[in-house]
Structure formats: C-alpha cells, structure tokens
Amino acid sequence: MPHPQTASLPRLLSNPRADHARPYGPSERAILSRAAFEEAMAEIGAWPGYAPTPLRSLPGLAREAGIDRLWYKDESARFAMGSFKALGGAYAVLRLLAREVTARVPGVPVTALDLVVGRHAKVTRPITVTTATDGNHGRSVAWGAQVFGCGCVIYVPAACSDGRRRAIESYGAHVVVVEGLYDDAVRRAAEDAAENGWFVVSDTSYTGYMDIPRDVMQGYTVMVEEAISQLPASERPTHVFIQGGVGALPAAVCAHLWESWGRQRPRLVVVEPQSADCLYQSCAAGRPARAGGDLDTVMAGLACGETSLLAWAILERGADDFMTIPDEVAVRTMRRLAEGAHGGRPIVAGESGVAGLAALLCAAGHEETRLGLGLAPDARVLVFGTEGATDPAIYEALVGRSPDAVLSGADPVSATGR
C-alpha cells in the first residue's frame, strides 16, 4: 500500500521492455489481429442499434492540461448498456454459441440472426454461460445470452452495488453474490462451470483458458477503429491514456494501434487505481503479477488483482508506461465533465470510465510525471471514456447530481463540493 504521504500522488513506471521498433508479428496476431477485427466489425456492425459512439474534443481540459489537443471517446450510449463492454462479452457469447451449433450440426452455417430468431434453440437453450464481474462485463454477457438464446449465471463480488446487480438481472441472468473480491468471483465461476458443464465467458485469461477472452478483446477493437476513423485526417494522437483492469482493454487498444500504425503509434499509458495495480506490478516484476493493494477503490470496474496472461503478452512490449492514480482524482474528473469544464455540453462519465482522463489531468499537474511522460505543449492525447452512469445512484453520490440533472443542465447542488 502507498505511504499515507504519497497516497494522493500518481505513480509512474516506464516500461523497460517497451519496443516501438518491434513489428506486430505472428505471435501478437495469434492473439489479436486486424483480420479478426474485420470479422468482429462485420458482425457487431450488423446488430440492431449499432452506431459509432462519438469522439468528443475537450478544448477546455486540453488548455488546463497544457497540451494541444484532447479527444474523448464517449461510450456512455453504447447500445443499451452505456459501456464499451457491450462490444466484448456479447460478441464472445455469439461466437461461442455459433461454434457449439456448428459442432453439433455440422455443415450448417450459423448467423447471428439465426440465433436471435431461435432457429437453433434446441442446441442453444440448454447451454449456460457464466462469468465473474464487477458490473459491466456481466451485463454484456447477460445481454448476449438473452439476445442469442442461452442461459446465464453471473457471479459478483460482495461489493458489487445493488444497482449493478439489478441491471444484470434485468436481462434474465441469475446473479450469485460471492463473499470476497472480484478474483474470488472469478475462481467461483470457474469452479461452478466445471461442475455444471457451463461455459465461462470471461475477459481475463489464465492457463488453459484462452480462446473466449481473445474473442472478448477482439470485440473491443471495434471501439478503437471507430476512434481512428473519427480523428481529424491530418492529426494523430501522441499519447493514449487507457484504464487497466485485468489488461484486456489496454491490450485491445495497444494491439489495434500497434498493428495499424506500427512504430508511428502513440505512447500508450496504462492507468490503474493505486490499490488495484496488477499491471503496474507486472511491469515491475517483468511477468504477470498480482496487485500490491487491497483492491478497495471507488473505480470498482478496475478492482482486479490478477493480470490476464493474453493481455500481458501484448502489453509486455507494447505498453510504454504504467501509472496509478488515487480515487479522488477520478471523482474530481467525473465532476469536471459534469460541469462542462471541458468546453462543451456536460458529459456523464462513470467512476471507472474516467480513469484515463483523470490520469492525464493528474500527470499534467505534477511536473515530474509530466516530464516523464513527455507531455509537451504540442501533445495530442486520446482517452477512452468507457462508461456512463452504469449505476445512477453511485454516480449521484459521487457527483452530487443525477445523470439526468447533469444532462439537462440543472444547477449543481452543494454536494459537488464547489
């Protein structure tokens, strides 16, 4: 745990194994590739309700940070779930069910529409998918199970909020509360799946479990390609700040930018809460490692103690820096977006979804960190706002206004602390 005197300061660790000259080769493409992205894009792009989420310019916060440009990929309206996770878990459920139908009915092509209309219900209905989650991933898996026609059991740690549990249950999933942390829920889900013959659909990978997490990560690259296509034609980011978790999201961002832009890709900074820093610790150790803290963080979606093996295989040489931030920085950033301090209409962003932006603003305010990251006045930064108010009650408690009040422009109340 950080010393009390340093708990409010960011920690920065430059990756000694980062190699911008290294080509994106066969070992990386075996995990994530543009070819597999094309499959994911063709599939997800055909889902009802699909539309690219907006890439917003934040000139006010760019000036505050002392940089040239700041872009924010706003995932708060992704499908019906308000999170980028909709691209991963549901896509992996679809791929799993399609494989199972093909294995049991050889020679029959399987489309998403076939599954949606129940054409293969005799095969899919007896199937149960399961996962552990702090909220958003489980909601995506439950949504995918409902849409594509199979059963679903979701395991959540005890700290998962009632609002997020209810959101998962609204898609017909059975929710099991595990006394313990996220990693305890991961182990319980795997144990129960083995006993009951269920299929685990997780975004974290471990020995003997690799294929489905690969599909989850590949779904995330749809968001990255959208952002690439939305950038001004003559401008590319010099830096990307992206939140960590088990590593699936930063690995997807890293891989897609690495393969797309090669050595011209931006500097990738992976951001974690100070108490849930498994990727930071992995960089320090030079191998997948556990978090050094107790995982007690307001950024609940990032409260992960163990590193995904597949993700680390990408990040080990593809990520440039690892950074941890205190909780208060994330909450302050949520409030700044809600106030419209960025120079535009208010943005509703969840506590885990603002971590990358919060890290940028935190780094800009600490000269040593700013210099360490090369945040010069001509820097152009891309961040991913990966969720909206996925639990409105928690959002209101942190920001001081409900999401609806923020979007309607209602005056802040004293709870914002201003």
Side-chain angles (χ1 to χ4, degrees):
M1 290 293 291
H3 188 279
Q5 292 182 334
T6 62
S8 62
L9 298 177
R11 290 185 301 164
L12 177 65
L13 181 61
S14 293
N15 183 6
R17 288 164 292 279
D19 185 359
H20 264 246
R22 177 186 172 94
Y24 194 82
S27 61
E28 289 82 19
R29 287 192 182 90
I31 301 171
L32 295 167
S33 68
R34 284 200 65 93
F37 153 75
E38 296 293 348
E39 292 182 35
M41 183 72 253
E43 178 56 60
I44 294 171
W47 290 359
Y50 169 77
T53 54
L55 183 70
R56 305 192 187 281
S57 178
L58 308 183
L61 292 182
R63 287 191 297 271
E64 183 178 310
I67 60 175
D68 184 43
R69 296 281 189 276
L70 175 56
W71 296 288
Y72 178 93
K73 181 65 167 162
D74 185 357
E75 291 292 297
S76 62
R78 178 70 74 180
F79 288 112
M81 282 172 284
S83 164
F84 83 105
K85 293 279 190 177
L87 299 169
Y91 177 63
V93 170
L94 168 64
R95 296 267 295 175
L96 165 68
L97 295 179
R99 285 193 296 268
E100 288 300 307
V101 171
T102 299
R104 301 179 198 192
V105 190
V108 177
V110 182
T111 68
L113 181 60
D114 291 333
L115 297 176
V116 170
V117 301
R119 194 160 292 148
H120 302 291
K122 287 184 179 179
V123 175
T124 63
R125 280 179 185 162
I127 292 173
T128 296
V129 295
T130 188
T131 193
T133 186
D134 281 303
N136 291 340
H137 176 67
R139 193 172 175 183
S140 177
V141 170
W143 178 59
Q146 183 183 70
V147 169
F148 300 121
C150 67
C152 185
V153 179
I154 302 294
Y155 292 78
V156 300
C160 182
S161 71
D162 289 341
R164 291 194 171 104
R165 294 179 200 174
R166 289 194 297 270
I168 294 168
E169 290 171 336
S170 72
Y171 295 105
H174 175 60
V175 175
V176 177
V177 179
V178 176
E179 291 303 322
L181 302 171
Y182 168 77
D183 298 300
D184 299 305
V186 169
R187 285 185 280 273
R188 173 74 182 278
E191 291 167 0
D192 287 3
E195 181 177 340
N196 293 293
W198 300 340
F199 292 87
V200 176
V201 179
S202 176
D203 62 351
T204 191
S205 59
Y206 41 85
T207 301
Y209 181 72
M210 299 287 180
D211 291 342
I212 289 175
R214 188 180 291 113
D215 287 339
V216 173
M217 289 193 291
Q218 198 68 70
Y220 296 161
T221 63
V222 169
M223 174 184 67
V224 188
E225 182 66 17
E226 287 178 3
I228 288 175
S229 67
Q230 292 166 325
L231 289 165
S234 61
E235 299 181 19
R236 283 187 182 178
T238 58
H239 297 70
V240 172
F241 285 70
I242 184 67
Q243 37 272 38
V246 297
L249 171 60
V253 173
C254 179
H256 202 71
L257 295 175
W258 186 355
E259 187 173 13
S260 300
W261 289 343
R263 65 177 63 198
Q264 279 75 49
R265 68 188 184 274
R267 184 169 186 161
L268 188 85
V269 184
V270 180
V271 180
E272 298 172 282
Q274 287 183 334
S275 61
D277 60 350
C278 61
L279 300 174
Y280 183 102
Q281 296 296 338
S282 296
C283 179
R287 55 178 172 74
R290 289 189 56 84
D294 60 8
L295 310 187
D296 183 13
T297 172
V298 72
M299 294 171 270
L302 306 180
C304 306
E306 298 180 14
T307 301
S308 167
L309 299 183
L310 279 178
W312 186 248
I314 297 289
L315 296 173
E316 182 178 15
R317 290 183 174 83
D320 296 286
D321 306 278
F322 295 83
M323 182 176 173
T324 69
I325 59 171
D327 279 7
E328 61 263 26
V329 175
V331 176
R332 186 162 62 244
T333 302
M334 293 170 67
R335 293 173 178 173
R336 298 286 282 157
L337 290 173
E339 294 162 0
H342 49 282
R345 67 179 180 81
I347 293 174
V348 171
E351 58 275 17
S352 299
V354 300
L357 175 58
L360 165 66
L361 298 177
C362 188
H366 294 85
E367 189 64 18
E368 184 178 349
T369 308
R370 171 190 279 276
L371 291 173
L373 290 171
L375 286 170
D378 62 350
R380 300 179 302 276
V381 179
L382 170 64
V383 299
F384 291 84
T386 49
E387 66 174 6
T390 54
D391 188 322
I394 289 179
Y395 181 88
E396 184 169 0
L398 294 174
V399 174
R401 284 181 289 165
S402 70
D404 289 342
V406 168
L407 293 177
S408 70
D411 289 337
V413 295
S414 58
T416 60
R418 292 198 300 163

